[in-house]
Every structure is written in C-alpha cells, then in structure tokens.
Amino acid sequence: MPTTGARVGVLALQGDFREHMRLLESCGASVVPIRLPEELTGLQGLVIPGGESTTMSRLIGTAGLLEPIQEAVAGGMACLTTCAGTILAAREIRDGLPGQIHLQILDIAVRRNAFGRQLQSEEVELDIPAVGRPPVLVAFIRAPAIEQVGEKVEVLVTYRSQPAAVRQGRHLALTFHPEITGDPRLHRLFLATL
Amino acid sequence: MTQNGHVESSTVRVKRGLAEMLKGGVIMDVVTPAQAEIAQEAGAVAVMALERVPADIRAQGGVARMSDPRLVKEIMAAVSIPVMAKCRIGHFVEAQILEALGIDYIDESEVLTPADEENHVDKWKFRVPFVCGARNLGEALRRISEGAAMIRTKGEAGTGDVVEAVRHMRAVSQGIRRLASLREEELATAAKELGASLEMVREVSSTGKLPVVNFSAGGIATPADAALMMQLGCDGNFVGSGIFKSGDPLRRAKAIVQATTYFDKPEILAEVSEDLGEPMVGISTSSLRPEELLAVRGI
C-alpha cells in the first residue's frame, strides 16, 4: 500500500483524535486538527474520531461546523469515521437524543450503544478481506451498530451479524477502533483513495 | 464480507480504551436523574452518580459511602452517556455491587470515607474499569499497578479552589519528566522511591507519559479553571460541586465543556466565561484544617 502526502483533517473537538493523528502521520499524511470551520479549507480527507457522540454533536453545533463539513463533503472531501464518528456521519440515528446534530454523509442507519454498556465492550480480531491478512485486532467500546445500509453502501466486515465496516464511494465508516489497537491498515486503505 | 474471529471482553485495552474516548471532555457530578439530563444536554462525556456532591459531604460531615443502588440505576436509565459511580477506598464489596449494577466506570474515591487505610481495591479482579485519584507520579503508578485504567488528580474536592488540582497535575508531569531524564541504571532506585514497579517506571521513562488517561479533578469551578488544567497537560476534566452548586448550572456546564475543547483559544474562553451567574461559593484550601483535607486519604 503506498503512503501518501494527502492533507487530512481530524475533528479534534473531543475523543481520541490524537491516536488518529499519530496513525495518519505514521502513514505519511499531512495531518491537521479541526475545531473551527475556517480550518476545513484544503482538506482531501476528514477523520471523525471516537468519543462521545452527544458531546461531539453539541460541539459541532456551537462551532457552526455542520454546514461547512457537509459542503466540504459535497466538494469531494472523503471521510473516515470510527464509532461515535460513524454515528455522527449516519443518515439516521436510532435512539439519538432530540436535537442531536448529524452530518448525513453516509446512507446508513445506526443504533447507539447497540451491544450494551462498558461491560459488553470487547477486543476482536476481524478478518477484513479489503485489507488482507492477518486479521485486524480492533476494540469495540460501547459500540454502535449499523442496522441498515443503502444500495450504494458496501459492507466490508460484519460483527455479531451486523455491518461493522462499510464503504460508500471514498467514505469509510467503522463501528470499532483500529486506532486504539494501532493497526494502520484501515487508515492506509482510506488514504489510498484520496 | 466475513465474520469476526477471536473475541475477548474486559481487556486492559478495552478498560483503558473507554477513558481514551472521554478525552477532551468533562465528567460531571450529578445527584439526581434530572441533573444527569442537564449534564448530558450540556455536552458532558459522562456523569458521576452521587448522593451528595463533595461540597455537601464536606459541609454535612459523617461517613460518606457508596450511593443507593436505586439512585445509580435511575441515573443510568436517564442518560445514554457513560455513568460512573464512587466506592470507598478499599471497599471491594461496594465495587462488586456497582459492577453488578452494570456501571461503566468505578471511581475508588478519597471523597468518600476510606474503608481501608492500608489497601486499595484489587482492581484487576474486576471486569469494570476503575479510575483513581493521585497527587503525584508515585500514587498514580501505584494505582495503575493495582489495576486502575484511568487516573485523575485528587485536587481538593468540594472547595471550588483549583490550587490543589494544579499542584497535583504539576507534580505528576514533573515526575514523568524526571523519569524521562534518568539513565537506565538509575530507574531501579527511582522505582523504589516511587513505590512502583520497575517495569512500569521503565515504560513511563521511555514513553514520557502515563500508560493511562489522566484527567484533572478537585476544585475546578470555572471555564478558566478547566482550560488551565488542560494547558497544564491533563486529558480532560472532572467537575464536581462546581456545576450544580452554581447559579445557572446548564449555562456553566456548557461553558466548561467549551473551555475544555478550546482551552488554548483565549478569545473563545472570554466569550464563554461571560455572564455565567454566581459560581459556587467555595472554600479556600489554605483555610482547611489538616483533618479536613481529602487528598491525603489513600496514598
């Protein structure tokens, strides 16, 4: 997989954005943290990290980031989302809070905390053909489930019978955290399309 | 498209991993389901379910214990963000009860009256992750070796005075910087002085950071306090009495959330600090008698 000098933003409002930045940098990307709308210019990709989706939703609202992100996506910016990021990027959030902002980048319906609370969080080896062997060790932490996918959405792997990694065009959405276990292959897969 | 392979729950990575997801966020003390909803509305990353906030524990005295399981359950039902609850230092049965309730994180806390003056809970035995308080690097490493998956500075809870939180955050950072500057053969003595294992001291010395997330706590009452702690290098903030003992909790809570995200942007800090109403009254830590200090419990 080739490395890339692509300019990639990581939404840095809350969550494990530093782990994503470190992984992307190790893959050769030029990485910028994003907290304000004016920081979005000139990005080929945006990573929306894990964290607390309700918190990030509130912060996206107060920062006025909703429309600028949607416009950048319409202009060709690709997104990689993990866990809470995937919730924010979904077309539909089941069990979302009233007034929860969502970006509607991906044609998927997600359910928050679908597998239960922290005691149900797990480390799992996922066999993802799109990144090859060996399996990718990832963490599911109070993870959402993707309950429905649109026609243009390709399912890359399932977990407990539901899609856990999906691709729509150049967007890649995961319900788990490869950044916690540090396997860079999914980040490389994303960067290779930019 | 394939199915998943090997699965393991409650691993160290999964326990520490939830704390990673809380970074850059604010964890708020709440005593009712209604307060929990306000905290969630304000953008809290988690709530700490309590019967009394530290300021009231301080004012009312008596033995402070784990909260009534019914209250903890009601708060868990009221919000969709993670819920934490406190057990007394060394009280492993309170911890067992909280784990049975399905709580997301246990705070083995000096804010409650210690149940054991010698030993902390053996946190490795639990599936639920623990956060523990620390005043310096030695305390932090001892708690991590007992199984804590997250650390917070102790500060001096229930005072609204940030001075002890600052002292403890600086002490942890200075301890780490010192270890990073030592030569390999000096680490064994450092480990002995810190009361920590050589293995963990080696790890901190080479990585230059704690192996777990480190929040600040104990006296944070304003957006400026929250930003101060972030600039001093913490990963996020616990705010106890500071929110619901103030005049306008929702507004203040939102402002502290903003200040934790934009901790290095003074213009934004100025904007969110404006017109917040009365802060909690507070007690100067220097006016407390030695027996009134909570941070000296469980070292």
Side-chain angles (χ1 to χ4, degrees):
Chain A
M1 200 73 68
T3 56
T4 162
R7 187 176 158 83
V8 180
V10 178
L11 197 65
L13 296 169
Q14 189 271 317
D16 69 338
F17 51 87
R18 276 187 212 96
E19 282 62 31
H20 279 287
M21 294 176 73
R22 213 171 293 142
L23 260 188
L24 291 162
E25 278 161 4
S26 77
C27 297
S30 152
V31 188
V32 278
I34 307 295
R35 287 181 294 173
L36 295 166
E38 57 267 30
E39 293 165 342
L40 279 168
T41 49
L43 299 180
Q44 288 149 281
L46 177 69
V47 174
I48 309 180
E52 191 48 53
S53 63
T54 56
T55 304
M56 283 198 256
S57 161
R58 296 289 183 263
L59 288 164
I60 286 171
T62 41
L65 275 163
L66 175 64
E67 283 168 9
I69 291 175
Q70 287 173 328
E71 281 162 19
V73 169
M77 182 178 75
C79 293
L80 166 65
T81 64
T82 63
C83 196
T86 295
I87 296 170
L88 294 170
R91 172 181 50 77
E92 184 191 341
I93 305 173
R94 295 176 178 168
D95 286 3
L97 291 182
Q100 182 162 6
I101 280 174
H102 46 296
L103 298 162
Q104 308 199 51
I105 295 165
L106 295 151
D107 189 11
I108 57 174
V110 297
R111 185 176 299 280
R112 295 177 60 216
N113 304 331
F115 303 103
R117 309 188 70 99
Q118 172 63 12
L119 288 172
Q120 281 72 48
S121 294
E122 304 179 319
E123 246 179 86
V124 181
E125 284 182 339
L126 290 179
D127 194 359
I128 309 176
V131 300
R133 305 288 298 172
V136 185
L137 179 66
V138 302
F140 285 87
I141 297 173
R142 288 174 51 100
I146 299 173
E147 294 193 330
Q148 206 179 16
V149 298
E151 276 174 20
K152 290 181 179 162
V153 179
E154 177 195 359
V155 178
L156 301 181
V157 71
T158 61
Y159 166 71
R160 295 183 184 260
S161 315
Q162 277 167 320
V166 300
R167 185 156 55 180
Q168 179 183 325
R170 293 186 301 140
H171 303 309
L172 191 57
L174 319 173
T175 60
F176 51 83
H177 301 281
E179 77 281 8
I180 285 293
T181 42
D183 191 316
R185 285 177 290 168
L186 286 153
H187 288 74
R188 277 195 216 132
L189 182 69
F190 173 67
L191 290 173
T193 64
L194 301 183
Chain B
M1 189 174 104
T2 42
Q3 278 292 339
N4 53 277
H6 181 71
V7 175
E8 209 176 340
S9 63
S10 301
T11 59
V12 168
R13 224 184 241 133
V14 159
K15 288 173 167 179
R16 294 180 181 178
L18 178 57
E20 300 284 349
M21 298 309 139
L22 304 175
K23 283 190 301 193
V26 182
I27 300 168
M28 302 181 192
D29 277 3
V30 298
V31 300
T32 64
Q35 286 186 356
E37 285 173 43
I38 292 170
Q40 176 171 267
E41 170 67 27
V45 289
V47 291
M48 178 75 68
L50 281 166
E51 263 172 357
R52 296 182 287 172
V53 293
D56 288 335
I57 291 175
R58 216 173 252 296
Q60 294 162 10
V63 176
R65 309 178 179 91
M66 175 189 78
S67 298
D68 184 331
R70 176 185 289 273
L71 174 74
V72 175
K73 277 159 69 180
E74 284 171 358
I75 289 171
M76 286 167 65
V79 292
S80 60
I81 56 178
V83 179
M84 302 183 168
K86 290 183 193 287
C87 75
R88 284 180 264 177
I89 289 173
H91 205 314
F92 50 86
V93 174
E94 285 186 349
Q96 289 165 4
I97 291 169
L98 292 172
E99 180 173 76
L101 295 175
I103 200 89
D104 294 299
Y105 240 95
I106 295 176
D107 183 0
E108 186 183 17
S109 178
E110 72 283 359
V111 168
L112 304 184
T113 311
D116 188 327
E117 294 186 333
E118 304 294 326
N119 308 290
H120 281 70
V121 172
D122 177 4
K123 294 166 273 287
W124 296 115
K125 285 194 179 144
F126 288 79
R127 292 164 55 232
V128 63
F130 280 75
V131 54
C132 286
R135 295 177 305 165
N136 51 48
L137 182 62
E139 279 186 36
L141 296 183
R142 292 196 291 278
R143 299 296 86 77
I144 296 166
S145 41
E146 293 157 5
M150 178 179 184
I151 291 293
R152 56 172 175 76
T153 56
K154 286 178 172 172
E156 193 54 43
T159 60
D161 185 351
V162 81
V163 67
E164 294 300 309
V166 168
R167 191 192 316 280
H168 300 161
M169 189 57 66
R170 283 196 187 277
V172 171
S173 310
Q174 282 164 6
I176 293 171
R177 285 200 300 275
R178 177 171 173 269
L179 279 191
S181 72
L182 292 184
R183 291 161 58 102
E184 175 65 29
E185 70 270 19
E186 295 165 340
L187 293 177
T189 305
K192 209 189 304 169
E193 286 164 8
L194 290 166
S197 75
L198 180 56
E199 191 190 358
M200 196 171 290
V201 165
R202 277 210 184 101
E203 185 186 341
V204 173
S205 173
S206 74
T207 62
K209 62 188 194 63
L210 286 181
V212 302
V213 165
N214 183 22
F215 269 46
S216 78
I220 294 139
T222 67
D225 290 346
L228 172 68
M229 298 314 298
M230 293 297 286
Q231 287 200 29
L232 286 172
C234 74
D235 292 315
N237 289 306
F238 279 88
V239 184
S241 321
I243 290 172
F244 289 100
K245 285 284 168 188
S246 75
D248 188 345
L250 178 61
R251 203 179 158 96
R252 181 167 295 266
K254 281 183 175 170
I256 292 176
V257 168
Q258 291 269 312
T260 300
T261 292
Y262 298 104
F263 64 91
D264 55 350
K265 304 260 185 211
E267 308 77 24
I268 297 178
L269 297 175
E271 193 185 312
V272 303
S273 298
E274 203 169 293
D275 203 16
L276 292 181
E278 283 296 305
M280 72 177 281
V281 175
I283 316 163
S284 166
T285 310
S286 56
S287 71
L288 293 173
R289 294 190 304 275
E291 64 272 22
E292 292 176 314
L293 296 171
L294 304 177
V296 296
R297 295 168 165 181
I299 57 176

